[in-house]
Amino acid sequence: MTKIGFMSDLHLDSNQFGAFERQTLQHLLQEQGLEHLHIAGDLSNDFYGISLPFIRELEQVLPVSFNLGNHDMLGLSESEIAATDFQVQQFGQTKLISFSGWYDYSFVPEKSKEEHLRTKNNFWFDRRLQRDLDDSAITQQLVQRLDALLTSLQGPLIAALHFVPHRDFLYDHPYFQRFNAFLGSQTFHQVFQKHGVQEAVFGHLHHRHQSRKIDGIRYHMRPLGYIREWELTRTFFEDFPQYRISQHYRLHKRYNAVKDLPEFQDYKKKHLAAELRDALTVIEVQ
């Protein structure tokens, strides 16, 4: 048996991963007895300056593979992005296929392309990226490459990508539903189903879900996300209710109010390993 770990959305820069955070993660990976780690995107907003050096550091502990997320793509050319896509690694009889993924607005079909572009250009991180094709064309190209690759492979298959491959994982809050257009595409699920993919791991949407099986594919979504979204940040306010603020529902405001407190820093150190463990998916293959 080979134990493969999967993580995503570490956002090293926003989460200010320093020596303590890195050492805690390395100890966790060793403690879990992993033989390989795959990172499914969004390590940072600086691929060469932060993401890649972090990967090289982890490789001193165990073998690491990765696919890009949209944040990792900032400043990269289309050829640099494409060079990381559709890697295939073999563990016994099982093959791990990794690629970034993208979106085609199909999760929100009731709005026009023009409406989606206005929302994207006003609010979404990806307005900062320079892609050669429009979003639907990028997704269509990726789906075609994925279909061709999976057609050529035999044996048990695991897929890792950054973007959301099935609508069951979308935002259900009315305010956020407009952003579902930029989360992924159901076409990835359709290709997985066509080729009998057994397991799929992804991130992008910063909510952790219990693993679930859909159409024979077991999906895993346990992104780390931003520290303001972490479970330890939520429970800090339960254990220290004196620091609750009037706009407690605004995650960035409540986090900014306590992030420099000694009590919060101590709490984070005490609970960080559990937070990282909760964001780790482990799949055992033969």
Side-chain angles (χ1 to χ4, degrees):
M1 300 290 287
T2 300
K3 294 179 71 173
I4 309 171
F6 297 84
M7 299 190 79
S8 73
D9 301 88
L10 272 67
H11 292 285
L12 304 169
D13 39 5
S14 299
N15 290 330
Q16 298 182 329
F17 256 62
F20 176 77
E21 289 79 9
R22 292 165 189 250
Q23 290 170 5
T24 302
L25 176 59
Q26 290 172 16
H27 291 156
L28 170 66
L29 299 176
Q30 292 174 314
E31 172 192 281
Q32 294 292 310
L34 300 181
E35 295 165 75
H36 189 92
L37 175 69
H38 184 84
I39 302 173
D42 277 6
L43 274 170
S44 78
N45 292 354
D46 183 352
F47 178 72
Y48 289 113
I50 298 177
S51 302
L52 196 56
F54 178 79
I55 291 167
R56 298 294 177 249
E57 182 180 331
L58 277 183
E59 287 177 330
Q60 304 303 309
V61 177
L62 80 171
V64 179
S65 56
F66 66 93
N67 58 261
L68 298 179
N70 52 322
H71 284 257
D72 302 298
M73 294 177 185
L74 186 63
L76 299 189
S77 68
E78 205 66 47
S79 61
E80 289 173 309
I81 294 171
T84 68
D85 268 337
F86 300 106
Q87 305 293 316
V88 179
Q89 297 171 86
Q90 186 148 351
F91 303 91
Q93 297 300 311
T94 301
K95 296 178 179 66
L96 168 62
I97 301 94
S98 60
F99 65 106
S100 59
W102 200 247
Y103 47 85
D104 56 7
Y105 313 153
S106 59
F107 285 150
V108 188
E110 62 272 18
K111 291 191 176 183
S112 68
K113 177 180 178 180
E114 290 71 27
E115 289 177 294
H116 288 312
L117 285 173
R118 280 198 297 272
T119 301
K120 177 179 177 177
N121 292 330
N122 285 327
F123 299 105
W124 203 245
F125 175 85
D126 298 347
R127 68 186 184 275
R128 301 172 61 184
L129 306 182
Q130 301 296 320
R131 303 300 306 264
D132 288 353
L133 301 173
D134 68 27
D135 296 320
S136 295
I138 291 171
T139 302
Q140 183 178 16
Q141 187 179 80
L142 289 171
V143 166
Q144 291 171 348
R145 290 184 63 192
L146 176 65
D147 187 37
L149 175 60
L150 294 182
T151 299
S152 71
L153 300 178
Q154 295 180 338
L157 302 172
I158 300 174
L161 70 163
H162 182 66
F163 289 84
V164 180
H166 198 284
R167 62 174 57 257
D168 275 15
F169 300 95
L170 301 180
Y171 288 117
D172 55 11
H173 190 285
Y175 175 80
F176 295 106
Q177 285 180 347
R178 57 182 167 164
F179 300 124
N180 286 334
F182 317 117
L183 296 187
S185 173
Q186 191 82 5
T187 54
F188 295 120
H189 171 76
Q190 293 166 0
V191 178
F192 294 161
Q193 188 179 9
K194 173 183 175 182
H195 294 284
V197 170
Q198 295 182 343
E199 314 249 9
V201 184
F202 64 99
H204 191 43
L205 180 59
H206 292 181
H207 293 293
R208 298 176 202 164
H209 290 260
Q210 293 297 319
S211 298
R212 68 180 75 167
K213 186 173 283 190
I214 305 173
D215 297 329
I217 305 162
R218 183 163 297 281
Y219 281 108
H220 308 270
M221 180 185 178
R222 305 205 62 77
L224 182 62
Y226 297 124
I227 187 171
R228 63 177 179 267
E229 303 163 324
W230 291 1
E231 180 68 10
L232 72 80
T233 303
R234 185 188 67 79
T235 58
F236 173 81
F237 289 101
E238 294 178 355
D239 293 344
F240 294 86
Q242 65 268 33
Y243 293 119
R244 289 178 64 93
I245 63 174
S246 58
Q247 292 183 310
H248 191 73
Y249 62 92
R250 304 191 66 171
L251 302 188
H252 68 287
K253 282 186 175 292
R254 71 183 190 185
Y255 169 66
N256 286 337
V258 301
K259 65 179 183 179
D260 296 322
L261 294 175
E263 295 94 329
F264 181 76
Q265 291 300 319
D266 290 342
Y267 195 88
K268 176 186 170 185
K269 288 183 177 181
K270 181 178 179 181
H271 296 280
L272 179 62
E275 190 77 35
L276 295 172
R277 189 179 300 110
D278 191 53
L280 173 68
T281 295
V282 178
I283 298 176
E284 295 188 1
V285 300
Q286 292 187 349

